[in-house]
Amino acid sequence: SGSLIAYSEANTNNGNRGRVAHADAVASKKKKVVVLGTGWAAMTFLKNLNNSIYEAEVVSPRNFFLFTPLLPSVTCGKVEARSIVEPIRNIIRKKNIDVSYREAECTKIDPANNKIYCHATANTNSKRREEFAIDYDYLIIAVGAQVNTFNTPGVEGNCHFLKEIDDAQKIRRNVIDAFEKASLPNLTEEERKKMLHFVVVGGGPTGVEFAAELHDFVNEDVVKLYPMVQNFVKITVLEATDHILNMFDKRITKFAEHKFGRDNIEVKLGSMVTKVTENEICTKAKGSDKTTSMPYGMVLWSTGIGPRPIVKDFMKQIGQGNRRALATDEWLRVEGVGNVYALGDCATINQRKVMEDITEIFKKADADNSGTLTLKEFQDISNDICERYPQMQLYLKSKPVRNIFDRPSQVKGKTSKESIELSIEEFKSALSEVDTQLKNLPATAQVANQQGAYLAKCFNRMEECEINPEGPTRIRGTGRHRFRPF
Amino acid sequence: SGSLIAYSEANTNNGNRGRVAHADAVASKKKKVVVLGTGWAAMTFLKNLNNSIYEAEVVSPRNFFLFTPLLPSVTCGKVEARSIVEPIRNIIRKKNIDVSYREAECTKIDPANNKIYCHATANTNSKRREEFAIDYDYLIIAVGAQVNTFNTPGVEGNCHFLKEIDDAQKIRRNVIDAFEKASLPNLTEEERKKMLHFVVVGGGPTGVEFAAELHDFVNEDVVKLYPMVQNFVKITVLEATDHILNMFDKRITKFAEHKFGRDNIEVKLGSMVTKVTENEICTKAKGSDKTTSMPYGMVLWSTGIGPRPIVKDFMKQIGQGNRRALATDEWLRVEGVGNVYALGDCATINQRKVMEDITEIFKKADADNSGTLTLKEFQDISNDICERYPQMQLYLKSKPVRNIFDRPSQVKGKTSKESIELSIEEFKSALSEVDTQLKNLPATAQVANQQGAYLAKCFNRMEECEINPEGPTRIRGTGRHRFRPF
């Protein structure tokens, strides 16, 4: 079902046929990079990978890239589905390295044998399930995430989601059908109101943007196309926490809540959905046991994401248990598996804590091995430390390096900061709060895009940086890291 | 499921809201015209209806008009689905008469009570089936036809059709999926060939155009996007009769067959499909009992059309039994039902035969009631006759009026044609072949379009022509017909 708009641009370019190598037929000594996914992370990686020591093989059930930030605009007809997709075959044709694509889903990763197992998803007449395996030198996991219903009863059967292009088109049909149906004769006002009650569960960016698109549609188009029912429309946003858009700056939240108030979009904060039936949606107010229910015409469920089955299975295999996403180090390598990388919504970077490495950091900084740290010694290595532990940089912004040497100086009554020397205990105590600056990256297109570009750059310069490493000094080892961390 | 692209143009026009009357609310003495359908016939009728003595109500499960001649071009991505639809609500907004629209299907026509019964088809959450009735003064049946499988086993489950926009998009997905699947590793050449064997059943315009679009796609796009499988593609057209496009001029047939030969599209003539299984299509050669079967990847079934259930039911009610389509007179009135009209693919004009009316024609022409017909008497009325019986015009083209008076003249040995007088028997014998010129109109967009425009013109001038009839002299009555026949 993924091929919807697969060749919308098939005529755009005069592709050089010779560039599209048939991977099966070409015997090559190149390093094989297998990429799982065709979303932001995978495609930005692929677009930027340009070192011909690699050949790439992309495996994804969806044969096009989707510009997800515009997905809410497709739900009400402002943007056409075709406008926000790019066929993977078009992307491949523009590459100067060998890339092949398989419309298939990876069902199993076997890191011990550098192999993945796939089954074809193309929806042709043949009911035979095509299975095949692919070997890799490097594996890039960028399969994204899936909708999370938190096992709320009735969500799966009664709610819309908004992750893929098909979802958006289904919503679009449903919105129009709601207006068509409400325009039929012989209905009570109550029935029309129910049909035109649009409920959004989850006040994140997806839910908020859908509510806004719907509001625009009602006010710009419905007034012209369905003037007789426009007054029955109601949009409700249900948010379980105290604010919508709570992952962003408070000013954004305030603006959005204020705007929705003016636009007659009802925002119910602290409102947990407990159940969705065919005709009603049931909610419980925060800190109360009272549940209420209201009739609805359509519900969009956009409360967050969870891991896909393939990722869950892989995490279990490598001992990452019940995490929300694959843990990687700061170089996007899956922890404990050398040649497997993960990025985008399916992964989170397990950021190294300063306090875990504090002894090694002190030792590394103490260049003269005196057991104490001078300001100069710390300054000499602080760039490396800040690069390796980004929270340190944020911490030092509010508490400049010299201040670390302030407190002890007063205690010891010395006059020149340069001559102060810190003991390991003093150093630890000065940095004890540093790891509170740690922040997880949000699961957004922007992050996935930046990670894809970062990783491709690393891959392109793999050999070069092996010889001339450009990363920070290794704190718990010798030499430097090959690359700067993401 | 009809609302696919329903508001693709919602922003195009600054609609005058006041024009969209809420039919329920407006108490009016206007004549109510109920139009069933949103295809060529219905929409051309609606677009041209502009006499404000009418109010119109359109009932159709599909809330958009579809430019069907470009449908085959959507199957391979040459034309985008959005480009060939026009939302009915947009059409309505541009009207200067009161028009309302109901997204519903008419399930029953009750001509005795001037009433139709409908049920809503909008696909909203509510599982309740909405039923309602509509009264009419005039009913316009323009619901089109449906695919005819001729009860061939396996067609329904294994073949594609190409009548609606959803069909075209499904084919498009399927074509691409076939290429994606054939590009997977670990397949035998035979398997790839099977997946890329496209079979078209029926060599009419739809089948021929699809085969041509597919051929273009293979030669322009597949060579770039799927170069590794291009040589496995095969297109086969199966036609039961002796020629493809046999409803058109022989030169068109010859050109198409020749072109397909050059393009490597195999055309199998005299090839009847007897069965379609999941993997094979079985055919029987004309005049032989031998059946053969071949593996296929995809089949398009485009062998012809049959009546929709609502039309079948109505035909049974009014005693039209097992016809292929609703019979109307030359003014598009359903025979035997005064205020019900039918046009487009759901109807055929039951053309009046000259020989059935020959006595009345002779009597009408014999102005002096002499029992014989002079050339002048015939010439005086021949325009009316040709208008009423179009086959007469074709007949006279090959056999001019004077010739009718030729044969008897020689028999009687007279010298001047003007003085010849024909008896009724001589007149009959001269015209005995005239009805062989009768031809049914093909079920095409062009005919439906012309009929819609014709009928709207009649409706617009209904009162005017009641007073000043513009049609031909009534042969079997007195006075003139109100309108020229279609």
Side-chain angles (χ1 to χ4, degrees):
Chain A
S1 68
S3 313
L4 188 54
I5 316 177
Y7 42 104
S8 62
E9 292 183 19
N11 286 314
T12 318
N13 289 282
N14 258 330
N16 179 345
R17 190 189 141 190
R19 282 186 182 169
V20 186
H22 189 190
D24 283 1
V26 176
S28 108
K29 292 282 163 222
K30 295 184 174 182
K31 294 280 187 191
K32 174 117 161 237
V33 182
V34 171
V35 180
L36 304 184
T38 41
W40 279 99
M43 286 304 97
T44 312
F45 173 78
L46 189 72
K47 282 179 185 171
N48 286 283
L49 188 71
N50 58 24
N51 189 327
S52 59
I53 63 164
Y54 302 110
E55 60 177 6
E57 187 157 354
V58 180
V59 176
S60 169
R62 194 183 76 188
N63 72 351
F64 55 88
F65 166 73
L66 177 61
F67 193 88
T68 45
L70 282 177
L71 204 49
S73 302
V74 173
T75 59
C76 293
K78 189 181 281 170
V79 169
E80 198 63 17
R82 171 179 185 166
S83 310
I84 63 167
V85 301
E86 188 177 4
I88 165 85
R89 299 259 172 211
N90 262 10
I91 297 169
I92 287 176
R93 281 170 54 211
K94 295 169 192 162
K95 293 299 299 175
N96 58 352
I97 64 168
D98 290 346
V99 181
S100 58
Y101 166 72
R102 311 294 182 192
E103 189 172 291
E105 192 161 342
C106 174
T107 51
K108 185 91 188 166
I109 298 167
D110 178 0
N113 297 300
N114 289 345
K115 200 188 268 292
I116 62 164
Y117 295 89
C118 309
H119 79 92
T121 50
N123 175 30
T124 54
N125 242 23
S126 156
K127 307 293 185 297
R128 203 184 114 197
R129 201 174 126 124
E130 306 288 347
E131 308 276 356
F132 57 94
I134 300 176
D135 296 314
Y136 62 82
D137 292 308
Y138 299 101
L139 179 65
I140 315 293
I141 305 177
V143 296
Q146 66 186 25
V147 163
N148 198 341
T149 66
F150 302 100
N151 295 318
T152 312
V155 170
E156 201 70 57
N158 297 305
C159 297
H160 285 266
F161 303 118
L162 186 47
K163 268 203 80 64
E164 297 294 337
I165 197 82
D166 285 349
D167 297 334
Q169 292 187 307
K170 214 171 127 200
I171 290 174
R172 182 169 168 177
R173 266 193 293 269
N174 223 262
V175 167
I176 272 292
D177 273 349
F179 283 98
E180 288 296 356
K181 200 158 184 187
S183 306
L184 292 173
N186 307 341
L187 294 174
T188 64
E189 192 176 308
E190 203 171 89
E191 285 172 320
R192 290 186 216 270
K193 278 184 175 170
K194 174 183 180 302
M195 287 169 184
L196 297 178
H197 184 204
F198 299 92
V199 180
V200 176
V201 183
T206 302
V208 165
E209 285 193 37
F210 172 69
E213 289 288 345
L214 194 59
H215 172 265
D216 289 354
F217 174 63
V218 169
N219 285 278
E220 288 162 23
D221 301 315
V222 167
V223 291
K224 290 180 224 149
L225 300 173
Y226 305 90
M228 50 290 191
V229 297
Q230 63 176 112
N231 293 326
F232 302 128
V233 180
K234 185 175 152 83
I235 305 173
T236 304
V237 177
L238 303 176
E239 166 59 44
T241 71
D242 291 338
H243 287 289
I244 61 172
L245 297 178
N246 54 36
M247 60 287 285
F248 298 132
D249 191 288
K250 279 186 182 57
R251 283 166 297 181
I252 292 175
T253 297
K254 201 177 159 191
F255 175 83
E257 287 177 355
H258 186 65
K259 175 100 175 79
F260 275 11
R262 279 206 325 268
D263 286 349
N264 254 325
I265 297 173
E266 186 172 5
V267 178
K268 292 194 175 176
L269 299 170
S271 193
M272 277 263 303
V273 174
T274 55
K275 193 172 68 175
V276 184
T277 70
E278 203 183 291
N279 291 301
E280 287 188 327
I281 181 162
C282 306
T283 58
K284 194 169 76 70
K286 203 179 166 184
S288 145
D289 278 342
K290 223 191 106 217
T291 65
T292 50
S293 66
M294 50 187 172
Y296 71 88
M298 186 183 138
V299 177
L300 173 69
W301 185 270
S302 56
T303 56
I305 55 174
R308 291 191 188 277
I310 175 71
V311 170
K312 266 190 204 160
D313 177 83
F314 185 56
M315 289 195 294
K316 207 185 283 176
Q317 274 190 71
I318 60 173
Q320 289 200 6
N322 270 328
R323 295 178 49 90
R324 190 184 65 77
L326 264 167
T328 70
D329 64 17
E330 288 87 342
W331 291 268
L332 309 184
R333 292 175 300 202
V334 174
E335 301 214 320
V337 197
N339 55 346
V340 178
Y341 297 74
L343 56 166
D345 287 2
C346 68
T348 49
I349 297 174
N350 218 350
Q351 290 159 293
R352 190 90 200 151
K353 293 205 176 67
V354 169
M355 291 313 284
E356 283 173 7
D357 296 344
I358 193 75
T359 314
E360 286 86 353
I361 294 172
F362 187 86
K363 220 177 275 173
K364 203 72 164 190
D366 182 16
D368 62 359
N369 240 326
S370 65
T372 56
L373 214 57
T374 64
L375 178 57
K376 182 164 183 311
E377 279 176 333
F378 184 72
Q379 280 172 333
D380 284 349
I381 203 173
S382 76
N383 275 348
D384 285 299
I385 295 174
C386 287
E387 205 168 36
R388 180 69 188 85
Y389 308 92
Q391 66 269 40
M392 182 71 108
Q393 186 146 29
L394 289 170
Y395 186 68
L396 294 182
K397 256 186 204 155
S398 56
K399 199 173 182 121
V401 182
R402 293 185 169 234
N403 286 1
I404 294 187
F405 288 79
D406 262 1
R407 209 184 43 167
S409 82
Q410 286 153 357
V411 171
K412 299 199 175 170
K414 297 195 178 166
T415 48
S416 156
K417 281 169 192 170
E418 277 69 21
S419 61
I420 292 172
E421 300 201 359
L422 288 189
S423 73
I424 172 91
E425 289 313 318
E426 286 165 331
F427 187 63
K428 271 187 191 172
S429 131
L431 292 175
S432 62
E433 299 293 308
V434 62
D435 292 320
T436 60
Q437 301 289 336
L438 276 173
K439 258 192 187 139
N440 275 327
L441 296 168
T444 60
Q446 287 84 345
V447 170
N449 186 38
Q450 287 166 24
Q451 289 181 335
Y454 163 82
L455 192 60
K457 209 176 142 202
C458 294
F459 267 70
N460 290 337
R461 306 171 67 237
M462 193 85 85
E463 287 173 323
E464 187 184 334
C465 291
E466 194 66 54
I467 300 160
N468 297 311
E470 60 173 25
T473 296
R474 287 179 195 273
I475 299 296
R476 293 172 297 161
T478 57
R480 311 186 71 82
H481 288 282
R482 247 187 318 186
F483 306 110
R484 292 197 180 85
F486 176 71
Chain B
S1 69
S3 313
L4 187 55
I5 316 177
Y7 42 104
S8 61
E9 293 183 19
N11 287 314
T12 318
N13 289 281
N14 258 330
N16 179 345
R17 190 187 142 191
R19 282 187 183 169
V20 185
H22 189 192
D24 282 2
V26 176
S28 107
K29 291 282 164 225
K30 295 183 173 183
K31 294 279 186 191
K32 175 116 160 238
V33 182
V34 171
V35 180
L36 304 184
T38 42
W40 278 99
M43 286 304 97
T44 311
F45 172 78
L46 189 72
K47 282 179 185 170
N48 286 283
L49 188 70
N50 58 25
N51 189 326
S52 60
I53 63 163
Y54 302 110
E55 60 177 5
E57 187 157 354
V58 181
V59 176
S60 170
R62 194 183 77 188
N63 72 352
F64 56 88
F65 166 73
L66 177 61
F67 193 87
T68 45
L70 282 177
L71 204 48
S73 301
V74 173
T75 59
C76 292
K78 190 180 282 171
V79 169
E80 198 63 18
R82 171 178 186 167
S83 310
I84 64 167
V85 301
E86 188 177 3
I88 165 86
R89 300 258 172 212
N90 262 10
I91 297 169
I92 288 177
R93 281 171 55 212
K94 296 170 192 162
K95 293 298 298 175
N96 57 352
I97 64 168
D98 290 346
V99 181
S100 58
Y101 166 72
R102 311 293 182 193
E103 189 172 291
E105 192 161 342
C106 174
T107 51
K108 186 90 187 165
I109 298 167
D110 178 0
N113 297 301
N114 289 345
K115 200 189 269 290
I116 62 164
Y117 295 90
C118 309
H119 79 92
T121 49
N123 176 31
T124 54
N125 243 23
S126 157
K127 306 293 184 297
R128 204 184 113 195
R129 200 174 127 124
E130 306 288 348
E131 308 276 355
F132 57 93
I134 300 176
D135 296 315
Y136 63 82
D137 293 308
Y138 299 100
L139 179 64
I140 315 293
I141 306 178
V143 296
Q146 66 186 25
V147 163
N148 198 341
T149 66
F150 302 100
N151 296 318
T152 312
V155 171
E156 201 71 57
N158 297 304
C159 297
H160 285 266
F161 303 119
L162 186 47
K163 269 204 79 64
E164 297 294 338
I165 197 81
D166 285 349
D167 297 333
Q169 292 186 309
K170 215 172 126 200
I171 290 174
R172 183 168 167 177
R173 266 193 293 268
N174 222 262
V175 167
I176 272 292
D177 273 349
F179 282 97
E180 288 296 357
K181 200 158 183 187
S183 306
L184 292 173
N186 306 342
L187 294 173
T188 64
E189 193 176 308
E190 204 172 89
E191 285 171 321
R192 290 187 216 269
K193 279 184 175 170
K194 174 183 180 301
M195 287 168 183
L196 297 177
H197 184 204
F198 299 92
V199 180
V200 176
V201 183
T206 302
V208 166
E209 285 192 38
F210 172 69
E213 289 288 345
L214 194 60
H215 172 265
D216 289 355
F217 174 63
V218 169
N219 285 279
E220 288 162 22
D221 301 314
V222 167
V223 291
K224 291 181 224 149
L225 300 173
Y226 305 90
M228 50 290 190
V229 297
Q230 62 176 114
N231 293 326
F232 302 127
V233 180
K234 185 175 152 81
I235 305 174
T236 304
V237 177
L238 302 177
E239 166 59 43
T241 71
D242 291 338
H243 287 289
I244 61 171
L245 298 178
N246 53 36
M247 60 287 285
F248 298 132
D249 191 287
K250 279 186 181 57
R251 283 166 297 181
I252 293 175
T253 297
K254 201 177 159 191
F255 175 83
E257 287 177 355
H258 186 65
K259 174 101 174 81
F260 276 11
R262 280 206 324 268
D263 286 348
N264 255 325
I265 297 173
E266 187 173 4
V267 178
K268 292 194 176 176
L269 299 170
S271 194
M272 277 263 304
V273 174
T274 55
K275 193 173 67 175
V276 185
T277 70
E278 203 183 291
N279 290 301
E280 287 188 326
I281 181 162
C282 305
T283 57
K284 193 169 76 70
K286 203 179 166 185
S288 144
D289 278 343
K290 223 191 105 215
T291 65
T292 51
S293 66
M294 50 187 172
Y296 71 88
M298 186 183 139
V299 177
L300 173 69
W301 186 269
S302 55
T303 56
I305 56 173
R308 291 191 188 278
I310 174 70
V311 170
K312 266 189 204 160
D313 176 84
F314 184 56
M315 288 195 294
K316 207 185 283 177
Q317 274 191 70
I318 60 173
Q320 289 200 5
N322 269 328
R323 295 177 50 89
R324 190 184 65 77
L326 264 168
T328 69
D329 64 18
E330 288 88 342
W331 291 269
L332 309 184
R333 293 175 300 202
V334 174
E335 301 213 321
V337 198
N339 55 346
V340 178
Y341 297 74
L343 55 166
D345 286 2
C346 68
T348 48
I349 297 175
N350 217 350
Q351 290 159 293
R352 191 89 200 152
K353 292 204 177 66
V354 169
M355 291 314 283
E356 282 173 7
D357 296 344
I358 193 76
T359 314
E360 286 85 354
I361 295 172
F362 186 86
K363 222 178 273 172
K364 203 72 164 191
D366 182 16
D368 62 359
N369 239 324
S370 65
T372 56
L373 215 57
T374 64
L375 178 58
K376 181 162 183 313
E377 279 175 334
F378 183 73
Q379 279 171 334
D380 283 348
I381 203 172
S382 77
N383 275 348
D384 285 299
I385 295 174
C386 287
E387 205 168 37
R388 180 70 188 83
Y389 308 92
Q391 66 269 40
M392 183 71 108
Q393 187 146 30
L394 290 170
Y395 186 68
L396 294 182
K397 257 185 202 155
S398 56
K399 200 175 181 120
V401 182
R402 293 185 168 234
N403 286 1
I404 294 186
F405 288 79
D406 262 1
R407 208 185 43 167
S409 84
Q410 286 154 356
V411 172
K412 300 198 175 173
K414 297 192 178 169
T415 48
S416 155
K417 282 168 192 170
E418 277 70 22
S419 61
I420 292 172
E421 300 200 358
L422 288 188
S423 72
I424 173 91
E425 289 313 317
E426 286 165 332
F427 188 63
K428 272 186 190 171
S429 133
L431 292 174
S432 62
E433 299 293 307
V434 62
D435 291 321
T436 60
Q437 300 289 336
L438 276 173
K439 258 193 188 138
N440 275 326
L441 296 168
T444 59
Q446 287 84 346
V447 170
N449 186 39
Q450 288 166 25
Q451 289 181 335
Y454 163 82
L455 192 60
K457 208 175 141 201
C458 294
F459 268 70
N460 290 336
R461 306 171 67 236
M462 193 85 85
E463 288 173 322
E464 187 184 334
C465 291
E466 193 67 54
I467 300 160
N468 296 310
E470 61 174 25
T473 296
R474 287 180 195 273
I475 298 296
R476 291 172 299 160
T478 56
R480 310 187 71 82
H481 288 281
R482 248 188 317 187
F483 305 110
R484 292 197 181 84
F486 176 71

